[in-house]
Amino acid sequence: MKLVDNSSNSSSSQGNVSYFTSLVSQEPQRPFAVLQLNASVLEKDMAMVVSALSFLQRVWLYPVVMLESRMQQQQDRRGQIADNLRLADALEQHGARARPLYTNSFVVDRAQNLIANTASIEQALRHHTLPIVSALAETPSGQIICNLDVMAATVAMSKALRPRKVIFVNDTCGIMDGNGRKMDRIHMDCPEEVACLNRAFRSSSSIRRINDLFNITTAVTITSAAALHNELFSACGAGTQLCSYDAVSESCHDVRAVMS
């Protein structure tokens, strides 16, 4: 358990691994986390991501990985599938079981609602396999939507699966303030702090979607691939924790204790 031993509090980390493993054994179809990987992370930190995900599988924890592809802006479906297969292949070479999923995971209905289809994901989880999900959707007529917003896909998947944690993995280990310092917390009822979040995501719709997540879980965090194991299992965390409007103080304490 090298990653656990390297975290800031090994005893706490071991306890949190046992806690999550116990929960997963009770509800195997419910992932302990949904992880959104930014495209830059896949390009710069593939080895870190593979190491962290492989470790999770070794301790019987299976997050759902939402994959942003560098090819989404180009609406290149083949490129997005290739990125998915590249990560899945790297995981398999590292001894982890991975299932690349790039069809039938999302549907856009006639009212333009994005709906997650979790059948293949839940099957992968039951078979102790890491689902790697591309942000590709289909319309009722069978048209493929290649430029789906990955955050919209992450929120839709989280609503369907109700994970205990939602983690956004970027290449800066969190959100930076105006002076370039990492912010430990962002309170969603503080305009100045939310402004920093806005600058990072460059979209007001992203803030709305993050707020939607607090209807699902109190544990929403932004971190880097290198700090992912600390974020998952230590009590102190390593990235930026997002705190909801309601019961902010309670949420902030509960997230770091991973007792959501």
Side-chain angles (χ1 to χ4, degrees):
M1 291 191 178
K2 183 178 179 181
L3 288 179
V4 168
D5 292 340
N6 286 344
S7 65
S8 58
N9 186 326
S10 181
S11 176
S12 173
S13 298
Q14 294 279 5
N16 290 337
V17 169
S18 299
Y19 169 72
F20 276 125
T21 303
S22 174
L23 290 178
V24 169
S25 68
Q26 298 170 31
E27 297 180 275
Q29 77 286 356
R30 182 185 178 190
F32 90 103
V34 168
L35 272 61
Q36 178 185 307
L37 298 183
N38 285 10
S40 59
V41 173
L42 193 62
E43 296 305 309
K44 298 177 183 178
D45 298 313
M46 171 80 85
M48 289 281 190
V49 169
V50 169
S51 178
L53 292 177
S54 299
F55 166 76
L56 290 176
Q57 189 174 78
R58 289 198 298 274
V59 296
W60 302 95
L61 293 173
Y62 306 91
V64 174
V65 180
M66 296 298 309
L67 190 60
E68 180 184 46
S69 170
R70 67 194 191 285
M71 295 298 178
Q72 277 176 251
Q73 294 301 319
Q74 288 79 20
Q75 301 189 38
D76 182 348
R77 182 191 179 199
R78 290 185 179 179
Q80 292 182 59
I81 293 173
D83 281 346
N84 190 314
L85 293 172
R86 186 158 59 100
L87 177 57
D89 184 59
L91 285 164
E92 293 278 355
Q93 291 182 23
H94 212 270
R97 297 178 62 189
R99 181 172 298 178
L101 298 171
Y102 41 80
T103 59
N104 301 320
S105 294
F106 296 97
V107 174
V108 177
D109 66 16
R110 299 187 187 280
Q112 298 301 302
N113 298 308
L114 181 63
I115 301 169
N117 178 4
T118 63
S120 296
I121 292 161
E122 290 175 349
Q123 183 184 52
L125 294 172
R126 286 195 299 271
H127 287 84
H128 309 301
T129 304
L130 293 166
I132 313 298
V133 185
S134 293
L136 293 164
E138 296 182 35
T139 67
S141 63
Q143 178 186 356
I144 304 299
I145 300 174
C146 299
N147 62 341
L148 184 65
D149 184 285
V150 67
M151 182 173 284
T154 297
V155 172
M157 189 61 68
S158 297
K159 285 181 177 178
L161 293 173
R162 304 192 68 81
R164 293 173 175 85
K165 298 171 77 74
V166 178
I167 300 177
F168 298 93
V169 184
N170 65 13
D171 54 5
T172 61
C173 196
I175 300 298
M176 304 300 162
D177 64 16
N179 296 314
R181 294 188 295 262
K182 182 183 71 69
M183 304 173 69
D184 292 332
R185 292 176 180 170
I186 289 179
H187 300 84
M188 300 303 289
D189 59 348
C190 176
E192 292 81 7
E193 295 181 5
V194 172
C196 297
L197 196 60
N198 258 321
R199 285 196 297 271
F201 284 106
R202 301 176 185 174
S203 170
S204 58
S205 64
S206 296
I207 306 302
R208 184 180 68 252
R209 287 168 180 147
I210 286 172
N211 283 322
D212 287 344
L213 288 173
F214 290 116
N215 296 320
I216 305 163
T217 178
T218 59
V220 181
T221 310
I222 302 169
T223 193
S224 67
L228 184 57
H229 58 285
N230 271 342
E231 201 60 60
L232 288 167
F233 297 124
S234 74
C236 61
T240 300
Q241 173 196 352
L242 307 184
C243 300
S244 67
Y245 292 103
D246 300 324
V248 166
S249 60
E250 179 182 351
S251 170
C252 286
H253 285 91
D254 286 350
V255 171
R256 291 309 188 197
V258 295
M259 295 299 174
S260 54

